[in-house]
C-alpha cells in the first residue's frame, strides 16, 4: 500500500522511544531487498530518481507538501522500489540506494509538515537504512538532524538533543556549512532543555562555521544565514529573550531566498506570534498580513496551524482597528475548518 494512504490516526503518533540505528548498524547492509529480477538498471535510472527528488523538493518549497508528498510516495512505491529490486552493477546499486534514501528523507520531511508524525518517522527510519546500505553519511546525518527537528518542534527536547548529537557524531569530518547545519540544531535542542551553556556554545560554533562557509562559496539551497538566524531566534526564545528572538527572526526573514514560500509563511507567522507576545499588536498584524499574501498558495499542515493560532490570538482584540482589518481579511481566505 502507498504509505501516504495509511490511517492518519495511526500514523500521527510520534514515538520518543523509537529505536534509531547507529551508523555501524546499517552501513553496507540492506537485507530487506533481494536482487535477481529480470530488470537491470544503470545510472540513467539513478538520475531519474535524483531529478524527481529535486523537482518534488522545489514543489514542496514553493507550495507545501500536501500535494507533493503523495506524488513522492507513489513514485517510491511504483518506480523506486522496483529499481531497488533490479539487477545492477555494484556502483549503480549503491548510487540508487543513496538516491532512494534522499527521497525517503524528503518524503518524511513532508509528512512532518502535514503533522503525520508517525508516518514521518517510518520514512526517516527507511532513509537511515538506505543511507547505511549505500554508505551515504551525508544523508544519514541529514536524516538524523531532520528527526531532531521533528522532535524539538513537538517539544521533546531531550530526544531532539540525542538525535542532534548523533547526527554530529556521525559526521566527524563535516565541512563548515554542514557543521553549521548540525550545530544550529544542537543549539536549539540544548536551549529547549534549559542547557544555556551548551546552547550558546553550539550557536557560536554554528556562527563561526557559517562565516567560513560563506567566505568560500554561496551555496544556494543549503544551510544559509537565514537558517542560522532562525536557529538564533529559537535559542533566544527558549532562553527567555523574546525581544532578541523577534530581531533574529526578522533578520532571517530579510535574508531568506524568495523561492522558500512555505518556510516564509510558517516563520513569518511565528515572528508575528512573538511580536504579539511582547505587546507589539500593530507590528504583529502587519507581519500577519504578509503571511496572508502567500498563504493561499501554500498547502501545509504547519502553515494551517499557524493561521489557526493567528485567529485565536487576535479574536480578543477586535476593537483594535489593525486587528479588525486583519481578522476581516483572514476570514475570506481561511478554510472554515480552521475557524472553529
Amino acid at each position: 500500500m502507498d504509505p501516504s494512504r495509511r490511517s492518519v490516526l495511526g500514523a500521527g503518533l510520534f514515538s520518543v522511544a523509537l529505536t534509531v540505528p547507529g551508523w555501524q548498524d546499517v552501513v553496507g547492509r540492506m537485507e530487506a531487498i533481494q536482487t535477481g529480477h529480470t530488470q537491470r538498471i544503470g545510472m540513467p535510472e539513478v538520475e531519474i530518481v535524483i531529478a524527481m527528488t529535486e523537482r518534488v523538493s522545489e514543489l514542496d518549497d514553493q507550495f507545501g507538501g500536501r500535494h507533493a508528498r503523495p506524488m513522492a510516495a507513489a513514485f517510491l512505491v511504483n518506480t523506486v522500489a522496483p529499481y531497488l529490486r533490479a539487477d545492477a552493477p555494484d556502483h549503480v546499486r549503491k548510487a540508487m540506494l543513496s538516491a532512494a534514501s534522499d527521497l525517503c528523507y524528503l518524503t518524511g520531511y513532508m509528512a512532518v509538515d502535514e503533522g503525520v508524525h508517525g508516518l514521518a518517522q517510518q520514512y526517516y527510519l527507511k532513509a537511515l537504512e538506505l543511507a547505511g546500505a549505500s554508505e551515504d553519511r551525508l544523508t544519514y546525518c541529514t536524516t538524523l538532524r531532520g528527526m531532531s527537528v521533528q522532535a524539538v518542534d513537538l517539544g521533546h527536547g531531550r530526544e531532539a538533543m540525542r538525535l542532534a548529537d548523533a547526527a554530529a557524531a556521525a559526521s566527524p569530518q563535516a565541512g563548515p556549512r554542514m557543521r553549521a547545519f548540525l550545530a544550529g540544531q544542537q543549539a536549539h535542542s540544548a536551549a529547549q532543555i534549559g542547557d544555556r551553556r551548551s546552547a550558546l556554545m553550539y550557536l557560536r560554533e554554528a556562527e563561526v562555521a557559517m562565516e567560513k562557509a560563506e567566505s568560500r562559496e554561496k551555496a544556494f539551497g543549503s544551510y544559509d544565514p537565514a537558517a542560522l538566524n532562525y536557529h538564533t531566534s529559537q535559542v533566544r526564545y527558549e532562553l527567555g529573550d523574546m525581544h532578541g528572538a523577534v530581531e533574529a527572526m526578522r533578520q532571517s526573514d530579510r535574508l531568506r531566498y524568495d523561492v522558500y514560500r512555505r518556510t516564509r509563511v510558517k516563520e513569518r507567522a511565528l515572528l508575528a506570534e512573538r511580536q504579539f507576545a511582547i505587546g507589539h499588536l500593530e507590528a504583529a498584524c502587519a507581519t500577519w498580513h504578509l503571511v496572508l499574501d502567500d498563504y493561499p498558495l501554500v498547502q501545509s499542515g504547519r502553515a494551517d496551524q499557524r493561521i489557526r493560532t493567528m485567529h485565536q490570538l487576535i479574536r480578543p482584540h477586535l476593537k483594535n482597528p489593525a486587528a479588525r482589518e486583519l481578522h476581516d481579511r483572514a476570514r475570506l481566505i481561511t478554510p472554515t475548518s480552521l475557524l472553529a
Side-chain angles (χ1 to χ4, degrees):
M1 178 183 289
D2 177 349
S4 70
R5 295 168 59 190
R6 292 175 184 160
S7 166
V8 171
L9 177 63
L13 301 177
F14 177 85
S15 171
V16 295
L18 198 70
T19 301
V20 175
W23 175 251
Q24 293 303 323
D25 297 325
V26 293
V27 63
R29 301 179 187 177
M30 196 65 195
E31 292 87 355
I33 292 177
Q34 301 297 321
T35 59
H37 288 234
T38 55
Q39 183 182 12
R40 186 170 179 84
I41 61 169
M43 287 307 295
E45 285 76 18
V46 175
E47 291 165 7
I48 288 170
V49 176
I50 292 172
M52 182 66 171
T53 302
E54 291 174 350
R55 299 300 181 271
V56 171
S57 181
E58 290 168 1
L59 289 171
D60 176 52
D61 286 334
Q62 295 178 37
F63 302 107
R66 187 170 292 142
H67 295 313
R69 182 172 64 83
M71 185 189 313
F75 186 71
L76 276 166
V77 170
N78 297 323
T79 301
V80 178
Y83 284 166
L84 291 173
R85 292 192 294 268
D87 287 331
D90 286 345
H91 74 283
V92 172
R93 182 165 175 75
K94 184 173 288 189
M96 181 58 75
L97 288 165
S98 177
S101 174
D102 198 30
L103 182 55
C104 276
Y105 164 72
L106 174 62
T107 310
Y109 177 83
M110 291 187 291
V112 169
D113 188 53
E114 277 303 290
V116 193
H117 292 288
L119 180 60
Q121 288 182 314
Q122 294 173 37
Y123 278 119
Y124 281 158
L125 287 176
K126 181 56 66 174
L128 292 177
E129 183 183 1
L130 291 164
S134 62
E135 299 180 32
D136 180 353
R137 276 187 179 268
L138 176 60
T139 302
Y140 180 82
C141 295
T142 299
T143 301
L144 283 175
R145 180 191 178 276
M147 297 176 80
S148 176
V149 171
Q150 179 189 22
V152 80
D153 286 349
L154 291 172
H156 300 293
R158 296 198 179 281
E159 181 67 7
M161 191 77 251
R162 182 178 75 85
L163 290 163
D165 285 345
S171 183
Q173 297 179 334
R177 196 173 298 276
M178 184 66 174
R179 185 61 215 135
F181 176 74
L182 297 171
Q185 180 58 26
Q186 286 176 294
H188 185 188
S189 302
Q192 189 170 95
I193 61 175
D195 187 348
R196 180 183 183 87
R197 184 191 65 80
S198 294
L200 296 178
M201 177 191 71
Y202 285 128
L203 189 60
R204 180 56 185 159
E205 186 176 338
E207 291 167 350
V208 171
M210 180 59 69
E211 288 173 3
K212 292 179 181 178
E214 290 292 292
S215 69
R216 295 183 183 181
E217 62 175 337
K218 298 290 184 180
F220 179 77
S222 63
Y223 196 74
D224 58 18
L228 177 58
N229 274 278
Y230 168 79
H231 273 135
T232 301
S233 178
Q234 294 292 63
V235 168
R236 290 177 177 173
Y237 173 79
E238 298 286 1
L239 297 181
D241 178 10
M242 191 69 78
H243 286 83
V246 166
E247 181 52 40
M249 194 68 82
R250 289 177 59 193
Q251 182 68 5
S252 177
D253 188 56
R254 285 193 291 267
L255 294 171
R256 186 179 305 109
Y257 289 110
D258 289 341
V259 296
Y260 299 122
R261 182 188 291 121
R262 189 270 315 284
T263 298
R264 184 166 65 239
V265 167
K266 177 177 69 74
E267 294 181 10
R268 278 182 173 171
L270 195 57
L271 169 59
E273 291 171 29
R274 293 177 181 175
Q275 289 172 318
F276 179 89
I278 61 175
H280 296 175
L281 176 59
E282 285 76 13
C285 288
T287 303
W288 271 316
H289 273 293
L290 295 177
V291 172
L292 295 180
D293 290 344
D294 285 322
Y295 175 64
L297 295 170
V298 173
Q299 295 293 315
S300 161
R302 286 186 292 184
D304 288 347
Q305 181 55 50
R306 300 264 72 89
I307 293 297
R308 183 184 288 111
T309 298
M310 178 196 73
H311 281 281
Q312 292 170 348
L313 291 176
I314 65 173
R315 196 169 292 132
H317 301 274
L318 296 183
K319 291 183 179 179
N320 179 284
R324 168 57 69 177
E325 180 185 3
L326 175 68
H327 173 266
D328 291 346
R329 180 191 177 196
R331 285 187 65 85
L332 297 176
I333 60 176
T334 302
T336 55
S337 61
L338 301 181
L339 296 174

